[in-house]
Amino acid sequence: MIGVFDSGVGGLTVHRALVQRLPQADFTYLADQAHAPYGVRTGEEIVELTKAGCVRLFDRGASLIVLACNTASAIALRRLQQTWLPGYRRELGRPVNVLGIIVPTIEKATGLPWEHEAERRGDKVEALDILGVFATPATVRSRVYEIEIDKRKQDLAVFSEPCPELVPLIEQDASVVELAKAVEAHVQALKTRIGRFPDRVVLGCTHYEIIADLFRAALPAGTPLIQQPEATADALELYLARHPEYSTGSGGGRVFLTTGTPGPQNGLVQGFWGGPVTFEAA
């Protein structure tokens, strides 16, 4: 079984892409809504909450977990992979792993494999493309997109814009008018800082995919949006082909869990998903 973890409903954007790509696999989605949003929390809190969510999913039989959350992927993933997972695997006695969504997003943004490192010549770069990243405050503070893209592609400059209110607004089923006003303000703030609009954009929080049309409306027509769900589905499909030791199940099971209040999700989420989404208590 594959587990998909997020602080709230944003990870459903990635979950939907994974289900479409791997329809026979069994999936369990866990939203840690009791502790959302993660983007305003400290690094230690994010690590501990992400680990707790992973334990819940492994306890339910997950073989692989996808952190469908930029904040958890940026802040917690590497630490969990290096300091927690090796011992936990021995404890469970079976193959398990946790994957994130930032690596496939950066590969998509640069057009380069993760292993690639730019040759440092010290020459002045004459032409720069500008990538705008809209993300939570914690993801922006981590500077993960700036750091990792600079390692791989010196002619791509990254400017990140923190959007602290967007996740709570989406979780609370805010009106389209209120959301559009907030998105427009962030797009204009980024434009002011850069001096022009970015050439392309990463929606660096999976919640933002739910309102991707509002970002498209606020940006110049035709501005490419790098789609995290599709990039993650591509990467997971390739990963599973290389690692047959991870069991994905074959019954097409779909379970939705929350640490918050169980029941149907809000209209904004259901409109995106294309039908009712009801969470069970985790």
Side-chain angles (χ1 to χ4, degrees), residues 17-31:
L18 297 181
V19 165
Q20 289 171 344
R21 188 65 59 87
L22 303 166
Q24 301 305 315
D26 297 321
F27 284 91
T28 297
Y29 182 91
L30 172 59

Side-chain angles (χ1 to χ4, degrees), residues 29-259:
Y29 182 91
L30 172 59
D32 190 17
Q33 292 175 303
H35 302 104
Y38 278 16
V40 297
R41 293 186 173 274
T42 67
E44 283 304 313
E45 287 177 309
I46 293 164
V47 170
E48 289 305 313
L49 289 170
T50 303
K51 182 167 76 172
C54 290
V55 169
R56 284 176 186 265
L57 286 167
F58 285 138
D59 283 350
R60 294 182 71 98
S63 177
L64 276 177
I65 295 172
V66 176
L67 299 183
C69 173
N70 282 266
T71 302
S73 295
I75 306 299
L77 179 59
R78 183 171 294 179
R79 229 172 93 189
L80 294 182
Q81 288 175 331
Q82 291 177 348
T83 66
W84 173 65
L85 265 176
Y88 194 71
R89 284 192 192 101
R90 290 193 294 272
E91 185 182 323
L92 288 181
R94 61 185 175 92
V96 294
N97 205 0
V98 182
L99 308 175
I101 59 175
I102 288 178
V103 170
T105 304
I106 289 174
E107 289 182 327
K108 196 81 166 180
T110 60
L112 296 166
W114 185 253
E115 297 78 17
H116 178 84
E117 288 195 17
E119 184 180 348
R120 301 286 167 175
R121 296 177 179 169
D123 299 334
K124 183 179 178 181
V125 177
E126 295 297 334
L128 277 176
D129 279 342
I130 294 181
L131 177 71
V133 178
F134 296 94
T136 67
T139 299
V140 172
R141 283 196 306 272
S142 77
R143 301 192 74 249
V144 64
Y145 284 100
E146 288 87 341
I147 292 166
E148 297 299 340
I149 287 175
D150 181 64
K151 288 179 186 176
R152 292 161 178 80
K153 198 169 176 65
Q154 289 186 283
D155 59 353
L156 182 59
V158 181
F159 289 81
S160 296
E161 168 70 12
C163 310
E165 80 283 26
L166 285 186
V167 170
L169 286 174
I170 293 166
E171 291 278 340
Q172 294 158 17
D173 202 16
S175 70
V176 171
V177 172
E178 189 176 3
L179 284 162
K181 184 178 177 182
V183 168
E184 175 70 24
H186 285 301
V187 169
Q188 289 301 318
L190 186 63
K191 178 192 175 189
T192 299
R193 217 149 31 86
I194 298 171
R196 65 177 177 87
F197 285 108
D199 297 299
R200 45 201 158 123
V201 162
V202 167
L203 300 183
C205 171
T206 51
H207 281 77
Y208 302 171
E209 282 287 334
I210 295 173
I211 55 170
D213 285 349
L214 300 182
F215 279 95
R216 288 191 183 95
L219 290 159
T223 302
L225 291 189
I226 292 161
Q227 307 291 124
Q228 287 196 302
E230 287 73 20
T232 305
D234 290 344
L236 182 61
E237 190 173 31
L238 290 171
Y239 184 85
L240 288 170
R242 295 194 307 269
H243 295 278
E245 67 269 25
Y246 294 110
S247 171
T248 63
S250 58
R254 309 286 181 259
V255 178
F256 298 88
L257 305 173
T258 181
T259 60

